[in-house]
Amino acid sequence: MSEAIEVRDLVVRRGKKTVLDGFSCVIPRGSVTGLLGPSGSGKTTLMRAVVGVQIVASGTVTVLGHPAGSTPLRRRIGYLTQAPSVYADLTVAENARYFASLYGLKAAAADEAVEAVGLTAARGQLVANLSGGQRSRASLACAIVSRPELLVLDEPTVGQDPVLRDELWDHFRRLAADGATVLVSSHVMDEANRCDRLLLIREGALIADDTPAGVKAAAGVDDLDQAFLNLIRRQEEEVAA
Amino acid sequence: MILASTIRRILGQLRHDPRTIGLIVVVPTLLITLIYFMYEGQPAVFDRVALTMLGVFPFIVMFLITSIAMLRERTTGTLERLFTTPVGKIDLLFGYGVAFGVAAAAQATVAAAFSYWALDMRTAGSIGLVILIAVANAVLGVALGLLCSAFARTEFQAVQFMPLVVAPQLLLCGLFVPRDEMAGWLQTISNVLPMSYSVEALTEVGVHAEPTGIMWRDLTVVVGSIVVALILGAATLRRRTA
Ligand SMILES: Nc1ncnc2c1ncn2[C@@H]1O[C@H](COP(=O)(O)OP(=O)(O)OP(=O)(O)O)[C@@H](O)[C@H]1O
Ligand SMILES: [Mg+2]
């Protein structure tokens, strides 16, 4: 079975709003898939449904062959929330070690994850005293610590400098090369170019599901930023027509 | 395994917050000292009031600390993330129960030891029983704090639950007016409030050298209330949210 995630006819309501309305998509294993879309389009909501913490109205989400959120999946996925979710009153190392321990892993695994996000020098620092970018990397360390088969990352590179962004993307690419599936949301188009596939989502509907080259070709331009705008405008016109 | 590391994590969070540790350990002792001077020359009254307070203070402190700590788990997203990991609800509830129970035991031991040896408090029964009941009451505070945190969206709201949960129990526990002298409907309310039982249990230790049947019954009621509050608390912990 080659797909890591299969979403079929997913409907999610949050408050009065129908955020996802009959959403379907398939994400292959061993790939880096970028989830792009305007703010408020439903990226976080889709990711929450994939990791099984979102109440869904109808439809199915199948992850690694199991219904999303089912017990066997909890050892096999890693989730980075959009806002850093680590304990501010623990050090970086203590946070990573706690999350490692949840999978029965030792401190060595935690230290490795801290190193992978470039926080080794700050490992003894309380998260409360970290900079914003460092804090999101501390949170990222806790998501990758278990070397999950599926990594769901909600805007992992926000607030990072270009060098770190590059290093983090190298890391994601390496994880995928080793067989992991990575689903990443982003607003940065030069990052989107480093994905195997892109999902473009607008107001809860999928408007493109292709390789970066395919997306550009479909939009008839050579630049992802422009392609993205074109596809969104084209879809707006279709809706209006 | 997960439970053990969760307990360690929560105690670790406390350890990085020496001021809170200081407040936990020192505040009840200070307040009981205050009571000592209020009732100077009336040792019998002091013995009764201080004994009650040894059960009440840990309850209040642990209720507050727990409801804020749990609310933080909800608002900072750590709870959402934990629910995508192998952590079980039991690990979280018992993690908080045990970690803060340990803190409560330290608090009750210091306060009780100080009351007996520095303030000359007298009870017919043993200090060990007093500490046991105080810790049970503190764990009750933890369990109710976990439960109430589900109904608060902000820390402002969470602290409002303190007067709501604590004040009626304190007023009706028999400290101010003996329970059998209250109006019937007040007695009925008092009978369903768990703190009435912990205060009665402490009073029993105050006047009887050996643990009495009433004391064990009361302690059982308190432990039962803890279990009920934890079960209700588990029901408010939802893996999936809107
Ligand atoms: N807790 C909530 N209750 C009600 N509505 C919500 C809630 N969270 C999000 N929404 C709504 O759901 C929609 C989709 O939100 P979502 O967080 O999935 O967007 P997003 O694509 O991740 O945006 P961003 O790029 O800004 O992170 C938005 O219109 C938002 O207002
Ligand atoms: Mg989002």
Side-chain angles (χ1 to χ4, degrees):
Chain A
M1 196 195 44
S2 64
E3 64 268 13
I5 302 172
E6 188 184 352
V7 180
R8 213 176 309 145
D9 303 323
L10 181 65
V11 178
V12 176
R13 295 196 187 90
R14 303 187 83 173
K16 289 200 177 67
K17 200 175 161 195
T18 303
V19 178
L20 297 175
D21 196 3
F23 189 94
S24 300
C25 71
V26 170
I27 291 169
R29 286 197 194 217
S31 66
V32 178
T33 301
L35 185 58
L36 309 173
S39 178
S41 57
K43 300 183 294 296
T44 298
T45 307
L46 179 62
M47 292 184 143
R48 278 169 43 88
V50 168
V51 299
V53 297
Q54 176 67 52
I55 294 178
V56 305
S58 65
T60 58
V61 183
T62 310
V63 176
L64 305 171
H66 298 271
S70 56
T71 318
L73 286 178
R74 288 186 201 133
R75 321 198 127 266
R76 302 170 65 190
I77 64 171
Y79 174 42
L80 176 75
T81 52
Q82 186 166 0
S85 51
V86 273
Y87 297 98
D89 42 8
L90 290 181
T91 66
V92 174
E94 287 168 338
N95 268 291
R97 284 175 190 194
Y98 175 56
F99 282 97
S101 75
L102 304 180
Y103 304 90
L105 297 172
K106 297 268 177 284
D111 297 347
E112 229 171 86
V114 170
E115 195 186 338
V117 300
L119 278 181
T120 304
R123 54 194 298 284
Q125 232 169 299
L126 284 183
V127 167
N129 302 334
L130 295 180
S131 74
Q134 288 177 323
R135 197 177 299 199
S136 6
R137 279 183 284 143
S139 191
L140 179 60
C142 299
I144 62 175
V145 73
S146 64
R147 299 180 162 270
E149 285 168 64
L150 171 65
L151 199 49
V152 179
L153 306 173
D154 203 350
E155 307 202 8
T157 58
V158 168
Q160 308 299 344
D161 63 73
V163 177
L164 267 168
R165 271 219 304 269
D166 192 55
E167 284 173 13
L168 290 176
W169 271 92
D170 283 343
H171 189 72
F172 303 154
R173 298 269 14 149
R174 258 198 316 278
L175 293 175
D178 291 344
T181 307
V182 187
L183 177 62
V184 193
S185 72
S186 175
H187 285 288
V188 185
M189 289 305 152
D190 61 308
E191 294 185 350
N193 270 313
R194 303 187 66 173
C195 297
D196 300 310
R197 294 195 73 81
L198 295 178
L199 297 176
L200 251 60
I201 167 172
R202 183 182 165 273
E203 293 198 354
L206 190 63
I207 60 172
D209 176 3
D210 211 333
T211 60
V215 168
K216 287 183 244 181
V221 288
D222 205 28
D223 169 81
L224 258 190
D225 251 319
Q226 196 55 47
F228 187 53
L229 286 172
N230 282 4
L231 287 174
I232 283 180
R233 298 227 170 93
R234 193 184 295 170
Q235 202 240 2
E236 270 170 6
E237 283 158 18
E238 276 168 21
V239 170
Chain B
M1 203 31 235
I2 292 182
L3 175 60
S5 66
T6 302
I7 294 169
R8 209 172 320 120
R9 185 262 293 175
I10 296 167
L11 288 174
Q13 289 178 277
L14 261 188
R15 195 167 52 81
H16 285 297
D17 188 358
R19 195 173 304 182
T20 296
I21 297 182
L23 289 170
I24 289 177
V25 173
V26 173
V27 168
T29 304
L30 280 180
L31 291 174
I32 290 173
T33 308
L34 184 70
I35 295 170
Y36 174 79
F37 287 111
M38 282 166 61
Y39 295 107
E40 223 175 356
Q42 298 168 264
V45 183
F46 169 72
D47 285 352
R48 189 172 70 86
V49 176
L51 184 59
T52 306
M53 287 306 165
L54 280 176
V56 171
F57 290 143
F59 175 85
I60 297 178
V61 173
M62 290 303 147
F63 176 83
L64 257 183
I65 291 185
T66 313
S67 48
I68 300 283
M70 195 64 203
L71 185 73
R72 279 196 198 157
E73 293 256 23
R74 291 177 197 273
T75 54
T76 60
T78 48
L79 188 65
E80 174 175 325
R81 170 185 258 176
L82 284 177
F83 278 154
T84 68
T85 73
V87 168
K89 293 177 183 179
I90 294 292
D91 297 314
L92 278 177
L93 290 170
F94 283 22
Y96 275 105
V98 174
F100 287 158
V102 168
Q107 179 184 55
T109 307
V110 170
F114 190 81
S115 304
Y116 277 96
W117 287 304
L119 304 179
D120 207 23
M121 187 180 90
R122 306 262 160 110
T123 55
S126 79
I127 180 173
L129 285 173
V130 171
I131 293 173
L132 176 71
I133 297 166
V135 171
N137 220 23
V139 176
L140 177 67
V142 171
L144 289 175
L146 289 171
L147 177 59
C148 288
S149 78
F151 302 100
R153 287 268 165 92
T154 64
E155 299 190 357
F156 279 159
Q157 292 176 2
V159 290
Q160 301 302 321
F161 277 104
M162 210 229 1
L164 188 68
V165 170
V166 175
Q169 303 212 66
L170 185 58
L171 293 175
L172 297 177
C173 73
L175 177 65
F176 298 101
V177 179
R179 281 170 11 104
D180 46 19
E181 289 171 24
M182 289 176 194
W185 62 279
L186 285 178
Q187 266 186 52
T188 310
I189 298 177
S190 172
N191 284 341
V192 299
L193 297 176
M195 207 199 281
S196 308
Y197 296 89
S198 43
V199 168
E200 188 179 61
L202 284 168
T203 312
E204 289 285 299
V205 178
V207 296
H208 298 286
E210 292 301 316
T212 63
I214 294 182
M215 189 212 84
W216 288 121
R217 184 210 62 186
D218 289 342
L219 199 53
T220 310
V221 172
V222 175
V223 172
S225 309
I226 294 171
V227 172
V228 172
L230 283 177
I231 291 172
L232 292 176
T236 67
L237 280 179
R238 289 289 160 81
R239 280 191 188 265
R240 287 181 187 269
T241 53

